[in-house]
Amino acid sequence: MKRALITGVTGQDGLYLAELLLGKGYEVYGLVRGQNNPKVEIAQQIPGLKLLFGDLTDLSSLLRAVQTAQPDEVYNLGAISFVAYSWENAHLTSDVTGKGVLNMLEAVRLSCGDDSGRIRFYQASSSEMFGKVQEVPQKETTLLWPRSPYGVAKVYGHYMTINYRESYGMHASSGILFNHESPRRGPEFVTRKVTRAVARIHLGLQEDIQLGNLDAQRDWGFAGDYVEAMWLMLQQEQADDYVVATGETHSIRELLDVAFRTVGIDDWEPLVKLNPAFVRPAEVDLLIGDASKAKEKLGWTPKVGFEQLVQMMVESDLAEQRSLAG
């Protein structure tokens, strides 16, 4: 039986990945941070998932986690991942999202001893690393130009993963994942913020939604599809870096179109208020990924399309809000 350790297991990716690996017969350990962590309850609902406590800023706790789990594969998904928050807390974002990768790599390297490739390592890199895009679409060789402290921290972790692969011969791969969403997405992210608000507006629980830049464009896919790409990377003989994306781009306006249409509202403009507080200090205007390498080498393609994804999220939020409203 293969064993895996997932950091950030309480996030949407961690939950979907844990379910995928458990379904494949893995023994799965998830790393969670701190006492009274409200998200622990979510992870405890996944049968068979074993939780360990640790912190990406504390190398000794990561070493203990690796020693306890004895993993064949480590998936480093843990991060402060809300981009807007990273401007408010650039130091903490750098410590967790950037240096946390170094700590996890070092814990794996030290645990491997003389057999540097014994534990296979996956790093969750991000399309936010492309930032002020230098090429459309973006691929693995596109110049990185991050536009947020989060993006800068992800670039550090990305290059550190490459450096450990090249310096120590570790089987360390990075997935440069473009935006991926699901009903499990945190409500602070714009997709879930929209789908939850649409559900509440439809049910008469909310009057409007406040948003920033409606013209920002993203390459949105389904998180459940994207975790399969992570697993496939660690099944390859050689470690490498892969863009994971749909190759389609959609604006916030299109997101609003589909979400409101799902509840039978065609004219959403009176229900959407523009708030300058939600405009980023440095905007990333257009992200669209070229995942041809992942398709060719991993045999991976996304299964869930944009409209299906948004409808899935709205319907999930409708059910949740009805339940909460009694």
Side-chain angles (χ1 to χ4, degrees):
M1 181 186 287
K2 276 191 174 181
R3 298 158 74 102
L5 172 63
I6 304 170
T7 73
V9 75
T10 58
Q12 62 165 1
D13 291 9
L15 296 170
Y16 282 115
L17 180 62
E19 289 171 342
L20 176 78
L21 296 178
L22 287 163
K24 292 182 180 294
Y26 279 65
E27 187 171 343
V28 182
Y29 293 82
L31 190 77
V32 292
R33 178 178 55 84
Q35 293 177 307
N36 299 321
N37 184 337
K39 289 187 171 181
V40 170
E41 214 172 291
I42 302 167
Q44 287 172 333
Q45 293 170 11
I46 296 183
L49 176 61
K50 300 173 183 178
L51 299 183
L52 301 173
F53 289 90
D55 194 307
L56 286 172
T57 64
D58 176 16
L59 177 58
S60 62
S61 74
L62 301 181
L63 280 165
R64 284 196 302 274
V66 174
Q67 286 165 3
T68 301
Q70 290 293 307
D72 301 287
E73 299 169 3
V74 169
Y75 296 85
N76 186 45
L77 313 184
I80 291 175
S81 57
F82 185 43
V83 176
Y85 179 88
S86 74
W87 275 283
E88 297 171 25
N89 292 275
H91 279 277
L92 184 60
T93 300
S94 300
D95 285 343
V96 177
T97 306
K99 288 163 65 179
V101 184
L102 171 60
N103 287 336
M104 200 67 235
L105 283 163
E106 189 67 0
V108 169
R109 183 182 74 84
L110 292 171
S111 299
C112 282
D114 295 333
D115 186 3
S116 61
R118 180 171 62 84
I119 301 173
R120 298 188 172 194
F121 180 88
Y122 170 85
Q123 166 58 16
S125 290
S126 166
S127 61
E128 287 286 331
M129 301 189 308
F130 294 119
K132 188 177 180 181
V133 298
Q134 302 299 296
E135 183 180 25
V136 178
Q138 295 88 51
K139 50 183 183 281
E140 292 80 7
T141 54
T142 301
L143 178 69
L144 306 179
W145 196 312
R147 297 265 283 173
S148 66
Y150 168 79
V152 173
K154 280 291 187 182
V155 170
Y156 175 88
H158 180 72
Y159 279 123
M160 194 58 76
T161 302
I162 292 171
N163 186 258
Y164 266 62
R165 181 169 74 218
E166 295 178 350
S167 299
Y168 303 112
M170 286 176 60
H171 194 293
S173 296
S174 283
I176 307 172
L177 269 58
F178 279 65
N179 293 63
H180 47 290
E181 317 297 324
S182 75
R184 288 169 163 169
R185 187 58 134 158
E188 68 274 22
F189 291 88
V190 69
T191 45
R192 183 76 194 288
K193 180 179 178 179
V194 166
T195 61
R196 176 183 272 192
V198 166
R200 288 178 59 80
I201 289 167
H202 177 67
L203 297 171
L205 302 171
Q206 186 172 323
E207 290 186 358
D208 56 40
I209 176 174
Q210 297 193 8
L211 296 170
N213 178 14
L214 302 187
D215 296 314
Q217 298 177 74
R218 294 291 183 272
D219 183 328
W220 278 302
F222 173 49
D225 288 343
Y226 285 33
V227 298
E228 185 188 12
M230 301 176 187
W231 175 76
L232 286 167
M233 287 178 214
L234 297 201
Q235 310 318 304
Q236 306 306 304
E237 192 173 329
Q238 299 294 326
D240 207 345
D241 306 319
Y242 297 88
V243 162
V244 179
T246 68
E248 295 180 10
T249 190
H250 300 275
S251 67
I252 305 293
R253 291 182 189 278
E254 290 175 81
L255 170 64
L256 290 162
D257 283 342
V258 178
F260 275 105
R261 197 163 60 237
T262 303
V263 296
I265 298 172
D266 292 322
D267 181 16
W268 50 259
E269 291 201 9
L271 303 170
V272 176
K273 310 296 182 194
L274 299 183
N275 186 339
F278 295 120
V279 177
R280 294 181 179 186
E283 182 59 272
V284 174
D285 296 312
L286 171 64
L287 289 174
I288 179 168
D290 176 1
S292 53
K293 180 177 173 182
K295 183 178 181 180
E296 179 190 337
K297 294 197 172 183
L298 306 179
W300 179 86
T301 52
K303 299 178 182 71
V304 177
F306 174 71
E307 290 208 13
Q308 184 185 350
L309 170 64
V310 178
Q311 289 165 0
M312 175 202 308
M313 292 175 67
V314 171
E315 284 159 11
S316 173
D317 277 320
L318 279 169
E320 180 188 80
Q321 292 302 315
R322 281 197 188 101
S323 173
L324 290 172

